[in-house]
Amino acid sequence: MKLKKGVKKLLIVLSILLVLVIAFFAYKLFFQGKDLKAKTVKVESEIKAYGYVLNDNDTKKYKEMFNELKKILEKKEVNEEDYVKQISKMFVYDFFTLSDKDAKTDIGGKMFVHQDALVNFLDKAEDTVYKYIENNLYGKRKQELPTVKTVEIEEIEQVEFTYLDQVDTEAYQVHLTWEYEKNLGYQKEATLIFVHEDNKLSLVEME
């Protein structure tokens, strides 16, 4: 069966348009995709005995806090109260500063969490505080997210705390408050519980 001239012309035009569309998307994918490089993270410093690391993409303020922690832990006799105060501040700053996070799975403060509590901690964080963070692996995000400005310790005391059937008679309970560079309605206070895990103090509860 022969096609009418009008139908033939229409098919030719549609074929040309299809080729142009394919060529356009191939160009976008090949040439512009080459310029979209995901961020790579490198370790800038670490405290090996405690498993703490500082990444090169951490903020200037967090790097200062990390260096202060390093000084505390490198002393011959570690002042445990100074230690727990510092990691409490660092946890709050890193966990609640969302502006430097690349995705909802990029959760801050996890290196201070007890190993046995980590999975539950990450799941809960993804479902709450980090739930609506947009992906920023290629640096294109325009979403406004909070940055912690200052952190204050309101109260600290040693308590007896049972975690996974293990009783720590010298656990630490720390109540903190903090302010953001811009108030976007996020949480501003919390009580943290740290217990002894081998040679370090680890977070097991946050209220």
Side-chain angles (χ1 to χ4, degrees):
M1 184 176 67
K2 293 183 179 180
L3 295 174
K4 293 182 179 180
K5 287 184 178 180
V7 176
K8 283 185 177 179
K9 287 182 180 180
L10 179 61
L11 289 175
I12 291 170
V13 171
L14 289 174
S15 297
I16 292 171
L17 287 174
L18 181 61
V19 170
L20 290 174
V21 169
I22 293 171
F24 173 76
F25 282 107
Y27 170 84
K28 294 273 286 184
L29 181 65
F30 181 75
F31 289 98
Q32 294 190 8
K34 289 169 67 178
D35 297 327
L36 295 175
K37 295 181 180 179
K39 298 176 183 178
T40 55
V41 178
K42 296 180 180 178
V43 174
E44 185 173 305
S45 182
E46 58 185 321
I47 308 172
K48 291 183 178 180
Y50 294 81
Y52 299 143
V53 296
L54 178 69
N55 294 322
D56 62 349
N57 66 334
D58 285 318
T59 66
K60 181 181 177 182
K61 183 175 179 64
Y62 188 77
K63 288 179 180 181
E64 290 172 354
M65 297 171 81
F66 186 90
N67 290 331
E68 182 59 35
L69 175 63
K70 200 169 186 178
K71 290 178 183 177
I72 292 170
L73 296 178
E74 286 180 345
K75 292 180 179 180
K76 287 185 177 181
E77 291 187 17
V78 175
N79 184 311
E80 205 167 69
E81 188 168 308
D82 288 343
Y83 170 30
V84 76
K85 284 180 179 179
Q86 190 64 14
I87 60 175
S88 295
K89 289 180 180 180
M90 291 176 71
F91 171 81
V92 165
Y93 179 86
D94 197 23
F95 183 77
F96 289 99
T97 292
L98 306 183
S99 56
D100 64 342
K101 306 303 187 293
D102 290 326
K104 72 173 188 177
T105 54
D106 183 15
I107 296 166
K110 56 182 174 285
M111 72 179 181
F112 301 115
V113 178
H114 195 289
Q115 190 61 38
D116 293 326
L118 189 57
V119 172
N120 184 59
F121 167 77
L122 295 176
D123 287 343
K124 190 172 182 179
E126 282 188 45
D127 289 338
T128 55
V129 179
Y130 285 68
K131 186 173 184 178
Y132 299 106
I133 294 181
E134 296 173 4
N135 190 295
N136 193 41
L137 290 176
Y138 298 107
K140 301 292 184 179
R141 183 175 63 205
K142 295 181 180 179
Q143 182 184 21
E144 189 173 25
L145 293 167
T147 299
V148 174
K149 184 178 181 180
T150 59
V151 184
E152 299 292 336
I153 292 177
E154 302 296 336
E155 185 179 5
I156 180 171
E157 62 177 324
Q158 281 197 296
V159 296
E160 182 177 298
F161 192 83
T162 302
Y163 182 69
L164 297 178
D165 298 324
Q166 297 293 317
V167 180
D168 189 339
T169 59
E170 296 182 324
Y172 286 90
Q173 180 174 285
V174 188
H175 182 68
L176 305 97
T177 58
W178 56 92
E179 296 292 332
Y180 296 98
E181 290 185 0
K182 184 176 181 180
N183 187 1
L184 298 173
Y186 285 80
Q187 183 175 341
K188 287 186 174 182
E189 66 176 298
T191 298
L192 310 179
I193 301 289
F194 289 87
V195 299
H196 293 83
E197 182 186 13
D198 299 324
N199 67 323
K200 64 181 182 180
L201 288 163
S202 297
L203 179 67
V204 293
E205 189 173 295
M206 174 171 64
E207 295 179 353

